[in-house]
Amino acid sequence: MQIRNRHLLGWLEAVPLTLVLVAFLVAPIVMIVIVSFWGATEFSIYPAFQFDNYAYLFGSKVVLSVFISTFKYALITWIFTFAIGFTVAYFLAFHIRSLTMQVALFLICTIPFWTSNIIRMISWIPFLGRNGIANQTLISWGVIDEPLEWLLYSDFSVILAFVHLYTLFMVVPIFNTMMRIDKSLLEAARDNGASGFQTLRHVILPLTKPGIMIGTIFVVTLVMGDFITVRFMSGSQSANVGRLISNDIGLLQYPSAAATAVVLLCTVLIVIAILLRFVNIRKEL
Amino acid sequence: MAKPKVGYSRRTLLKAGGAALAASTLPAPMLWAQDTKDIVLRQFGTGVSNLNDVAKKVKEDLGITLEMTALDSDSVTQRAATQPDSFDIADIEYWICKKVWPTGNLQAMDVSKIDNYDKIVGIFKSGKLTPETDIAQGTAPHTVGFIEEPGAKTFASEQTNWMTLIPTIYNADTLGIRPDLIGRPIDTWAELLNPEFKGKASILDISSIGIMDMAMVCEAMGEVAYGDKGNMTKEEIDKTIAIFMEAKKAGQFRAFWKSFDESVNLMASGEVVIQSMWSPAITAVKSRGIDCVYQPLKEGYRSWGGGLGLSSSLSGMELDAAYDYINWYLSGWVGGYLMRQGYYSAVPETSKEFMSENEWGYWFEGKPATDTITSPTGDTLAAAGDVRDGGDFYERMGSVACWNAVMDENQYMVRKWNEFIAA
């Protein structure tokens, strides 16, 4: 049988993907939203429609402070990953002339990703510890007399690990957009007497905006959802929203965890919506 | 290139032939023996007692295949409460039992089928170590050890014919210290919050256990007087957490730990000099050649006990195999294995046969070692002349101040605990 109606054909083509998305994305989220209104005892959850979980979430000072620290981690990590990512991408895209060299150097950037996230994170612990390599080196150089306590189990170590883990997610999309910039534009800028900084600010930066946005979305969502890094690198001394959820799950408080997850999801969506105001990603892709 | 594998060797063919012959002449028992070889029991529990050596030995002795999964306490609770069909045997702690039993995922055990029931130490039956000792506070194992009849969701107040868990392992916990970095005697729980150890103390981040350690500290400091440390009122919880929150903000703690390895690393790297710790973790630090002491304290110990529970979906031949396994468990080999790591066996009598006189003297009787003491895996734990910390079995287990617990106000406590961690 030949399908003549083009609309019908279009719909049919979209069906498989729609089904997959409904089954594995929409349905779980709907389930989480439903459970977030349920109640829980020590060992069971029971269907109900109550606002207890949300009331606690929005009423607790602790939850507020945890959300604030989540944003703090996301913002500071973003600043560093952007600064480093942009510089690296700029260097790769505009200072390396041969394509082979660009590819080779780009591959070098990915070397750390040959081991798992957790291993890369945990290997910081002996390095930064009280008697770790960093402190011993600084002491032997005579820079400090006493080991620096704040190197490990502090916000410093958490952000350091985040930056280490996620900078590549910034490098890749920025590098990608930079590569697509027409080099003649840069020449034109120079011919018109623009300084290097002016070219960067008025030509390169606007043209790389989509890459920056995509990188930002990666980094911000990853940092906001990551709880393992916060737990290990702060020695469990700090918390972000992810840890709140994982603690709840560990203690069988699924409805409370679901409510927190819903709030986190909404927060992340709002952040992304705001970011998308700055750039039309669909046009750029 | 490797040769293709031959499916049957001559030997297995002969064996199979012999079995077939025997099966045709003596059908029933032979079939049964064939079947037990295929039985697989899935066991999960904390890393403390889910050891591959046990699985290996039970395969040798009984032919049962035991599949082990080791998890942390919270994951154990979760799995037992939410995935009843994912296991046959749950190796859980008594305080977890209080959360898990009401879900109906475990079935009661018939005491009359347990061979060594009479030899199980009193703590798990009447709550008393010896007729004279007091029963400690908290979720003492005997209070959640029995139910009136199969299917009951609440615990019996006395011994009955139906047990929730078969006790296997227990110990008395205290603080671990680094004597080389502290350089003076430590004899009270209150030292954990001593400003002298600012930035060098730690406590574990498992609320049900951590709150008990906190309570031992607050009581020792004279800050809070508890009716029952294992069942605090909201007010007592508030006071306890407030004291620790203040210490946390003042920078008393270096880190909190959740897993065994974390506690070992904190101590071995010198990040921490005093922390709540578990006995095998001390052993692990010591085996790296670092001085570490499981310090007995004047206020006594915080104790825990574990046991084996049967999944409610077990029946028929698997159930029989599970009973065989439990009887084997209490018959001594495992007990000896556990006791040679510093834990106590629920049936010490039978373990004795699997330990040397030196080992029994050192671990159980608190006597000086007459020769090197090694762990079951061969690490040296003590030299000749060393004495176990805390004295003999009766002295240690007799000084238990409280058991790990689940309180009536548990949910409130957990919320406060999260606030403490997030503060």
PDB file of all heavy atoms in Angstrom, chain B residues 179-213:
ATOM      1  N   PRO B 179      47.434   6.936  68.327  1.00  0.00           N
ATOM      2  CA  PRO B 179      48.200   7.283  69.537  1.00  0.00           C
ATOM      3  C   PRO B 179      49.477   8.055  69.214  1.00  0.00           C
ATOM      4  O   PRO B 179      49.894   8.920  69.980  1.00  0.00           O
ATOM      5  CB  PRO B 179      48.501   5.929  70.173  1.00  0.00           C
ATOM      6  CG  PRO B 179      48.236   4.918  69.124  1.00  0.00           C
ATOM      7  CD  PRO B 179      47.268   5.506  68.155  1.00  0.00           C
ATOM      8  N   ASP B 180      50.073   7.780  68.067  1.00  0.00           N
ATOM      9  CA  ASP B 180      51.325   8.467  67.718  1.00  0.00           C
ATOM     10  C   ASP B 180      51.100   9.950  67.468  1.00  0.00           C
ATOM     11  O   ASP B 180      51.996  10.768  67.656  1.00  0.00           O
ATOM     12  CB  ASP B 180      51.973   7.799  66.496  1.00  0.00           C
ATOM     13  CG  ASP B 180      51.014   7.712  65.312  1.00  0.00           C
ATOM     14  OD1 ASP B 180      49.797   7.621  65.552  1.00  0.00           O
ATOM     15  OD2 ASP B 180      51.479   7.730  64.158  1.00  0.00           O
ATOM     16  N   LEU B 181      49.896  10.326  67.024  1.00  0.00           N
ATOM     17  CA  LEU B 181      49.630  11.731  66.738  1.00  0.00           C
ATOM     18  C   LEU B 181      48.922  12.439  67.898  1.00  0.00           C
ATOM     19  O   LEU B 181      48.826  13.658  67.917  1.00  0.00           O
ATOM     20  CB  LEU B 181      48.780  11.867  65.465  1.00  0.00           C
ATOM     21  CG  LEU B 181      49.425  11.340  64.177  1.00  0.00           C
ATOM     22  CD1 LEU B 181      48.481  11.476  62.997  1.00  0.00           C
ATOM     23  CD2 LEU B 181      50.735  12.064  63.893  1.00  0.00           C
ATOM     24  N   ILE B 182      48.401  11.656  68.834  1.00  0.00           N
ATOM     25  CA  ILE B 182      47.710  12.260  69.980  1.00  0.00           C
ATOM     26  C   ILE B 182      48.661  12.368  71.167  1.00  0.00           C
ATOM     27  O   ILE B 182      48.742  13.411  71.815  1.00  0.00           O
ATOM     28  CB  ILE B 182      46.443  11.464  70.343  1.00  0.00           C
ATOM     29  CG1 ILE B 182      45.389  11.644  69.246  1.00  0.00           C
ATOM     30  CG2 ILE B 182      45.889  11.931  71.687  1.00  0.00           C
ATOM     31  CD1 ILE B 182      44.090  10.925  69.497  1.00  0.00           C
ATOM     32  N   GLY B 183      49.379  11.284  71.440  1.00  0.00           N
ATOM     33  CA  GLY B 183      50.437  11.339  72.434  1.00  0.00           C
ATOM     34  C   GLY B 183      50.005  11.431  73.883  1.00  0.00           C
ATOM     35  O   GLY B 183      50.769  11.851  74.743  1.00  0.00           O
ATOM     36  N   ARG B 184      48.756  11.107  74.180  1.00  0.00           N
ATOM     37  CA  ARG B 184      48.335  11.055  75.574  1.00  0.00           C
ATOM     38  C   ARG B 184      47.160  10.097  75.671  1.00  0.00           C
ATOM     39  O   ARG B 184      46.528   9.790  74.657  1.00  0.00           O
ATOM     40  CB  ARG B 184      47.958  12.434  76.082  1.00  0.00           C
ATOM     41  CG  ARG B 184      46.719  13.008  75.421  1.00  0.00           C
ATOM     42  CD  ARG B 184      46.368  14.339  76.065  1.00  0.00           C
ATOM     43  NE  ARG B 184      45.240  14.956  75.374  1.00  0.00           N
ATOM     44  CZ  ARG B 184      43.968  14.669  75.640  1.00  0.00           C
ATOM     45  NH1 ARG B 184      43.656  13.758  76.568  1.00  0.00           N
ATOM     46  NH2 ARG B 184      42.997  15.282  74.985  1.00  0.00           N
ATOM     47  N   PRO B 185      46.881   9.609  76.893  1.00  0.00           N
ATOM     48  CA  PRO B 185      45.790   8.640  76.991  1.00  0.00           C
ATOM     49  C   PRO B 185      44.434   9.272  76.680  1.00  0.00           C
ATOM     50  O   PRO B 185      44.208  10.441  76.980  1.00  0.00           O
ATOM     51  CB  PRO B 185      45.839   8.174  78.452  1.00  0.00           C
ATOM     52  CG  PRO B 185      46.993   8.829  79.088  1.00  0.00           C
ATOM     53  CD  PRO B 185      47.527   9.873  78.188  1.00  0.00           C
ATOM     54  N   ILE B 186      43.572   8.504  76.065  1.00  0.00           N
ATOM     55  CA  ILE B 186      42.198   8.924  75.766  1.00  0.00           C
ATOM     56  C   ILE B 186      41.305   7.932  76.500  1.00  0.00           C
ATOM     57  O   ILE B 186      41.494   6.732  76.366  1.00  0.00           O
ATOM     58  CB  ILE B 186      41.934   8.812  74.247  1.00  0.00           C
ATOM     59  CG1 ILE B 186      42.826   9.749  73.432  1.00  0.00           C
ATOM     60  CG2 ILE B 186      40.458   9.041  73.919  1.00  0.00           C
ATOM     61  CD1 ILE B 186      42.477  11.199  73.500  1.00  0.00           C
ATOM     62  N   ASP B 187      40.368   8.429  77.302  1.00  0.00           N
ATOM     63  CA  ASP B 187      39.543   7.451  78.007  1.00  0.00           C
ATOM     64  C   ASP B 187      38.053   7.784  78.026  1.00  0.00           C
ATOM     65  O   ASP B 187      37.277   7.115  78.685  1.00  0.00           O
ATOM     66  CB  ASP B 187      40.052   7.256  79.452  1.00  0.00           C
ATOM     67  CG  ASP B 187      39.793   8.482  80.302  1.00  0.00           C
ATOM     68  OD1 ASP B 187      39.529   9.559  79.720  1.00  0.00           O
ATOM     69  OD2 ASP B 187      39.842   8.358  81.538  1.00  0.00           O
ATOM     70  N   THR B 188      37.663   8.828  77.300  1.00  0.00           N
ATOM     71  CA  THR B 188      36.233   9.135  77.303  1.00  0.00           C
ATOM     72  C   THR B 188      35.749   9.550  75.917  1.00  0.00           C
ATOM     73  O   THR B 188      36.505  10.103  75.117  1.00  0.00           O
ATOM     74  CB  THR B 188      35.913  10.254  78.327  1.00  0.00           C
ATOM     75  OG1 THR B 188      34.619  10.785  78.029  1.00  0.00           O
ATOM     76  CG2 THR B 188      36.930  11.387  78.255  1.00  0.00           C
ATOM     77  N   TRP B 189      34.462   9.269  75.662  1.00  0.00           N
ATOM     78  CA  TRP B 189      33.853   9.644  74.384  1.00  0.00           C
ATOM     79  C   TRP B 189      33.906  11.152  74.171  1.00  0.00           C
ATOM     80  O   TRP B 189      33.904  11.630  73.042  1.00  0.00           O
ATOM     81  CB  TRP B 189      32.389   9.191  74.336  1.00  0.00           C
ATOM     82  CG  TRP B 189      32.205   7.735  74.059  1.00  0.00           C
ATOM     83  CD1 TRP B 189      32.208   6.725  74.971  1.00  0.00           C
ATOM     84  CD2 TRP B 189      31.976   7.115  72.784  1.00  0.00           C
ATOM     85  NE1 TRP B 189      32.004   5.517  74.343  1.00  0.00           N
ATOM     86  CE2 TRP B 189      31.847   5.733  73.001  1.00  0.00           C
ATOM     87  CE3 TRP B 189      31.872   7.601  71.479  1.00  0.00           C
ATOM     88  CZ2 TRP B 189      31.619   4.826  71.964  1.00  0.00           C
ATOM     89  CZ3 TRP B 189      31.635   6.708  70.448  1.00  0.00           C
ATOM     90  CH2 TRP B 189      31.520   5.332  70.699  1.00  0.00           C
ATOM     91  N   ALA B 190      33.923  11.921  75.270  1.00  0.00           N
ATOM     92  CA  ALA B 190      33.878  13.384  75.169  1.00  0.00           C
ATOM     93  C   ALA B 190      35.063  13.931  74.379  1.00  0.00           C
ATOM     94  O   ALA B 190      34.985  15.030  73.831  1.00  0.00           O
ATOM     95  CB  ALA B 190      33.849  13.997  76.566  1.00  0.00           C
ATOM     96  N   GLU B 191      36.159  13.172  74.316  1.00  0.00           N
ATOM     97  CA  GLU B 191      37.354  13.648  73.607  1.00  0.00           C
ATOM     98  C   GLU B 191      37.093  13.928  72.121  1.00  0.00           C
ATOM     99  O   GLU B 191      37.824  14.676  71.492  1.00  0.00           O
ATOM    100  CB  GLU B 191      38.480  12.615  73.716  1.00  0.00           C
ATOM    101  CG  GLU B 191      38.968  12.358  75.137  1.00  0.00           C
ATOM    102  CD  GLU B 191      39.973  13.389  75.614  1.00  0.00           C
ATOM    103  OE1 GLU B 191      40.161  14.409  74.922  1.00  0.00           O
ATOM    104  OE2 GLU B 191      40.562  13.161  76.685  1.00  0.00           O
ATOM    105  N   LEU B 192      36.037  13.315  71.574  1.00  0.00           N
ATOM    106  CA  LEU B 192      35.758  13.518  70.151  1.00  0.00           C
ATOM    107  C   LEU B 192      35.518  14.995  69.842  1.00  0.00           C
ATOM    108  O   LEU B 192      35.849  15.473  68.769  1.00  0.00           O
ATOM    109  CB  LEU B 192      34.540  12.685  69.729  1.00  0.00           C
ATOM    110  CG  LEU B 192      34.242  12.669  68.221  1.00  0.00           C
ATOM    111  CD1 LEU B 192      35.297  11.890  67.456  1.00  0.00           C
ATOM    112  CD2 LEU B 192      32.872  12.069  67.934  1.00  0.00           C
ATOM    113  N   LEU B 193      34.932  15.709  70.806  1.00  0.00           N
ATOM    114  CA  LEU B 193      34.658  17.131  70.572  1.00  0.00           C
ATOM    115  C   LEU B 193      35.669  18.029  71.275  1.00  0.00           C
ATOM    116  O   LEU B 193      35.474  19.239  71.370  1.00  0.00           O
ATOM    117  CB  LEU B 193      33.236  17.488  71.009  1.00  0.00           C
ATOM    118  CG  LEU B 193      32.113  16.928  70.146  1.00  0.00           C
ATOM    119  CD1 LEU B 193      30.787  17.563  70.512  1.00  0.00           C
ATOM    120  CD2 LEU B 193      32.388  17.121  68.670  1.00  0.00           C
ATOM    121  N   ASN B 194      36.737  17.449  71.798  1.00  0.00           N
ATOM    122  CA  ASN B 194      37.782  18.258  72.433  1.00  0.00           C
ATOM    123  C   ASN B 194      38.411  19.193  71.398  1.00  0.00           C
ATOM    124  O   ASN B 194      38.910  18.738  70.377  1.00  0.00           O
ATOM    125  CB  ASN B 194      38.845  17.316  73.009  1.00  0.00           C
ATOM    126  CG  ASN B 194      39.842  18.051  73.867  1.00  0.00           C
ATOM    127  OD1 ASN B 194      40.028  19.265  73.715  1.00  0.00           O
ATOM    128  ND2 ASN B 194      40.474  17.334  74.768  1.00  0.00           N
ATOM    129  N   PRO B 195      38.406  20.522  71.662  1.00  0.00           N
ATOM    130  CA  PRO B 195      38.958  21.471  70.688  1.00  0.00           C
ATOM    131  C   PRO B 195      40.422  21.190  70.340  1.00  0.00           C
ATOM    132  O   PRO B 195      40.914  21.634  69.306  1.00  0.00           O
ATOM    133  CB  PRO B 195      38.831  22.818  71.396  1.00  0.00           C
ATOM    134  CG  PRO B 195      37.783  22.624  72.427  1.00  0.00           C
ATOM    135  CD  PRO B 195      37.832  21.192  72.837  1.00  0.00           C
ATOM    136  N   GLU B 196      41.087  20.438  71.200  1.00  0.00           N
ATOM    137  CA  GLU B 196      42.467  20.047  70.911  1.00  0.00           C
ATOM    138  C   GLU B 196      42.571  19.333  69.553  1.00  0.00           C
ATOM    139  O   GLU B 196      43.587  19.413  68.866  1.00  0.00           O
ATOM    140  CB  GLU B 196      42.929  19.102  72.027  1.00  0.00           C
ATOM    141  CG  GLU B 196      44.391  18.747  71.978  1.00  0.00           C
ATOM    142  CD  GLU B 196      44.727  17.692  73.037  1.00  0.00           C
ATOM    143  OE1 GLU B 196      44.071  17.658  74.106  1.00  0.00           O
ATOM    144  OE2 GLU B 196      45.647  16.899  72.789  1.00  0.00           O
ATOM    145  N   PHE B 197      41.496  18.633  69.181  1.00  0.00           N
ATOM    146  CA  PHE B 197      41.524  17.881  67.925  1.00  0.00           C
ATOM    147  C   PHE B 197      40.758  18.599  66.827  1.00  0.00           C
ATOM    148  O   PHE B 197      40.194  17.984  65.926  1.00  0.00           O
ATOM    149  CB  PHE B 197      40.963  16.478  68.146  1.00  0.00           C
ATOM    150  CG  PHE B 197      41.633  15.749  69.262  1.00  0.00           C
ATOM    151  CD1 PHE B 197      40.906  15.242  70.331  1.00  0.00           C
ATOM    152  CD2 PHE B 197      43.015  15.603  69.267  1.00  0.00           C
ATOM    153  CE1 PHE B 197      41.540  14.591  71.371  1.00  0.00           C
ATOM    154  CE2 PHE B 197      43.652  14.950  70.310  1.00  0.00           C
ATOM    155  CZ  PHE B 197      42.912  14.447  71.366  1.00  0.00           C
ATOM    156  N   LYS B 198      40.733  19.918  66.902  1.00  0.00           N
ATOM    157  CA  LYS B 198      40.013  20.705  65.907  1.00  0.00           C
ATOM    158  C   LYS B 198      40.526  20.412  64.494  1.00  0.00           C
ATOM    159  O   LYS B 198      41.721  20.435  64.256  1.00  0.00           O
ATOM    160  CB  LYS B 198      40.178  22.183  66.227  1.00  0.00           C
ATOM    161  CG  LYS B 198      39.325  23.072  65.365  1.00  0.00           C
ATOM    162  CD  LYS B 198      39.514  24.515  65.740  1.00  0.00           C
ATOM    163  CE  LYS B 198      38.951  25.369  64.619  1.00  0.00           C
ATOM    164  NZ  LYS B 198      39.378  26.743  64.684  1.00  0.00           N
ATOM    165  N   GLY B 199      39.590  20.124  63.615  1.00  0.00           N
ATOM    166  CA  GLY B 199      39.958  19.822  62.231  1.00  0.00           C
ATOM    167  C   GLY B 199      40.570  18.451  62.054  1.00  0.00           C
ATOM    168  O   GLY B 199      41.050  18.107  60.983  1.00  0.00           O
ATOM    169  N   LYS B 200      40.562  17.642  63.133  1.00  0.00           N
ATOM    170  CA  LYS B 200      41.189  16.319  63.038  1.00  0.00           C
ATOM    171  C   LYS B 200      40.275  15.218  63.557  1.00  0.00           C
ATOM    172  O   LYS B 200      40.727  14.126  63.889  1.00  0.00           O
ATOM    173  CB  LYS B 200      42.489  16.310  63.837  1.00  0.00           C
ATOM    174  CG  LYS B 200      43.548  17.199  63.210  1.00  0.00           C
ATOM    175  CD  LYS B 200      44.818  17.203  64.009  1.00  0.00           C
ATOM    176  CE  LYS B 200      45.841  18.085  63.310  1.00  0.00           C
ATOM    177  NZ  LYS B 200      47.061  18.241  64.101  1.00  0.00           N
ATOM    178  N   ALA B 201      38.987  15.535  63.683  1.00  0.00           N
ATOM    179  CA  ALA B 201      38.044  14.532  64.168  1.00  0.00           C
ATOM    180  C   ALA B 201      37.100  14.155  63.037  1.00  0.00           C
ATOM    181  O   ALA B 201      36.947  14.896  62.074  1.00  0.00           O
ATOM    182  CB  ALA B 201      37.257  15.080  65.348  1.00  0.00           C
ATOM    183  N   SER B 202      36.487  12.992  63.172  1.00  0.00           N
ATOM    184  CA  SER B 202      35.501  12.584  62.179  1.00  0.00           C
ATOM    185  C   SER B 202      34.439  11.717  62.832  1.00  0.00           C
ATOM    186  O   SER B 202      34.649  11.152  63.910  1.00  0.00           O
ATOM    187  CB  SER B 202      36.175  11.816  61.051  1.00  0.00           C
ATOM    188  OG  SER B 202      35.208  11.352  60.147  1.00  0.00           O
ATOM    189  N   ILE B 203      33.315  11.652  62.168  1.00  0.00           N
ATOM    190  CA  ILE B 203      32.223  10.804  62.647  1.00  0.00           C
ATOM    191  C   ILE B 203      31.582  10.212  61.403  1.00  0.00           C
ATOM    192  O   ILE B 203      31.759  10.740  60.310  1.00  0.00           O
ATOM    193  CB  ILE B 203      31.232  11.636  63.500  1.00  0.00           C
ATOM    194  CG1 ILE B 203      30.274  10.752  64.273  1.00  0.00           C
ATOM    195  CG2 ILE B 203      30.481  12.629  62.647  1.00  0.00           C
ATOM    196  CD1 ILE B 203      29.486  11.527  65.318  1.00  0.00           C
ATOM    197  N   LEU B 204      30.877   9.107  61.567  1.00  0.00           N
ATOM    198  CA  LEU B 204      30.350   8.486  60.349  1.00  0.00           C
ATOM    199  C   LEU B 204      29.016   9.103  59.952  1.00  0.00           C
ATOM    200  O   LEU B 204      28.250   9.546  60.785  1.00  0.00           O
ATOM    201  CB  LEU B 204      30.252   6.966  60.479  1.00  0.00           C
ATOM    202  CG  LEU B 204      29.118   6.332  61.262  1.00  0.00           C
ATOM    203  CD1 LEU B 204      29.198   4.835  61.158  1.00  0.00           C
ATOM    204  CD2 LEU B 204      29.157   6.749  62.701  1.00  0.00           C
ATOM    205  N   ASP B 205      28.793   9.133  58.647  1.00  0.00           N
ATOM    206  CA  ASP B 205      27.587   9.748  58.089  1.00  0.00           C
ATOM    207  C   ASP B 205      26.534   8.689  57.785  1.00  0.00           C
ATOM    208  O   ASP B 205      26.047   8.581  56.681  1.00  0.00           O
ATOM    209  CB  ASP B 205      27.978  10.544  56.825  1.00  0.00           C
ATOM    210  CG  ASP B 205      26.789  11.215  56.167  1.00  0.00           C
ATOM    211  OD1 ASP B 205      25.755  11.358  56.827  1.00  0.00           O
ATOM    212  OD2 ASP B 205      26.900  11.584  54.988  1.00  0.00           O
ATOM    213  N   ILE B 206      26.232   7.848  58.770  1.00  0.00           N
ATOM    214  CA  ILE B 206      25.095   6.932  58.653  1.00  0.00           C
ATOM    215  C   ILE B 206      24.257   7.266  59.868  1.00  0.00           C
ATOM    216  O   ILE B 206      24.645   6.978  60.998  1.00  0.00           O
ATOM    217  CB  ILE B 206      25.536   5.452  58.690  1.00  0.00           C
ATOM    218  CG1 ILE B 206      26.468   5.154  57.523  1.00  0.00           C
ATOM    219  CG2 ILE B 206      24.323   4.525  58.662  1.00  0.00           C
ATOM    220  CD1 ILE B 206      27.081   3.761  57.553  1.00  0.00           C
ATOM    221  N   SER B 207      23.120   7.926  59.632  1.00  0.00           N
ATOM    222  CA  SER B 207      22.426   8.586  60.735  1.00  0.00           C
ATOM    223  C   SER B 207      22.120   7.672  61.930  1.00  0.00           C
ATOM    224  O   SER B 207      22.383   8.036  63.063  1.00  0.00           O
ATOM    225  CB  SER B 207      21.158   9.242  60.228  1.00  0.00           C
ATOM    226  OG  SER B 207      20.378   8.311  59.520  1.00  0.00           O
ATOM    227  N   SER B 208      21.595   6.486  61.663  1.00  0.00           N
ATOM    228  CA  SER B 208      21.176   5.631  62.783  1.00  0.00           C
ATOM    229  C   SER B 208      22.339   5.270  63.696  1.00  0.00           C
ATOM    230  O   SER B 208      22.145   5.051  64.894  1.00  0.00           O
ATOM    231  CB  SER B 208      20.563   4.335  62.260  1.00  0.00           C
ATOM    232  OG  SER B 208      19.509   4.617  61.397  1.00  0.00           O
ATOM    233  N   ILE B 209      23.528   5.174  63.144  1.00  0.00           N
ATOM    234  CA  ILE B 209      24.691   4.816  63.948  1.00  0.00           C
ATOM    235  C   ILE B 209      25.357   6.077  64.483  1.00  0.00           C
ATOM    236  O   ILE B 209      25.741   6.158  65.640  1.00  0.00           O
ATOM    237  CB  ILE B 209      25.692   3.988  63.115  1.00  0.00           C
ATOM    238  CG1 ILE B 209      24.990   2.785  62.489  1.00  0.00           C
ATOM    239  CG2 ILE B 209      26.846   3.528  63.974  1.00  0.00           C
ATOM    240  CD1 ILE B 209      25.864   1.985  61.546  1.00  0.00           C
ATOM    241  N   GLY B 210      25.455   7.088  63.600  1.00  0.00           N
ATOM    242  CA  GLY B 210      26.121   8.324  63.991  1.00  0.00           C
ATOM    243  C   GLY B 210      25.456   8.999  65.177  1.00  0.00           C
ATOM    244  O   GLY B 210      26.131   9.505  66.074  1.00  0.00           O
ATOM    245  N   ILE B 211      24.123   8.973  65.202  1.00  0.00           N
ATOM    246  CA  ILE B 211      23.412   9.639  66.296  1.00  0.00           C
ATOM    247  C   ILE B 211      23.721   8.960  67.637  1.00  0.00           C
ATOM    248  O   ILE B 211      23.780   9.612  68.676  1.00  0.00           O
ATOM    249  CB  ILE B 211      21.877   9.653  66.026  1.00  0.00           C
ATOM    250  CG1 ILE B 211      21.140  10.570  67.017  1.00  0.00           C
ATOM    251  CG2 ILE B 211      21.277   8.266  66.091  1.00  0.00           C
ATOM    252  CD1 ILE B 211      21.135  12.019  66.675  1.00  0.00           C
ATOM    253  N   MET B 212      23.982   7.657  67.593  1.00  0.00           N
ATOM    254  CA  MET B 212      24.316   6.948  68.825  1.00  0.00           C
ATOM    255  C   MET B 212      25.698   7.369  69.319  1.00  0.00           C
ATOM    256  O   MET B 212      25.911   7.553  70.522  1.00  0.00           O
ATOM    257  CB  MET B 212      24.303   5.429  68.588  1.00  0.00           C
ATOM    258  CG  MET B 212      23.014   4.884  68.046  1.00  0.00           C
ATOM    259  SD  MET B 212      21.597   5.258  69.065  1.00  0.00           S
ATOM    260  CE  MET B 212      21.912   4.184  70.434  1.00  0.00           C
ATOM    261  N   ASP B 213      26.633   7.502  68.386  1.00  0.00           N
ATOM    262  CA  ASP B 213      27.964   7.982  68.771  1.00  0.00           C
ATOM    263  C   ASP B 213      27.858   9.380  69.358  1.00  0.00           C
ATOM    264  O   ASP B 213      28.484   9.701  70.374  1.00  0.00           O
ATOM    265  CB  ASP B 213      28.901   7.988  67.559  1.00  0.00           C
ATOM    266  CG  ASP B 213      29.413   6.596  67.216  1.00  0.00           C
ATOM    267  OD1 ASP B 213      29.232   5.690  68.060  1.00  0.00           O
ATOM    268  OD2 ASP B 213      29.977   6.410  66.134  1.00  0.00           O
TER     269      ASP B 213
END
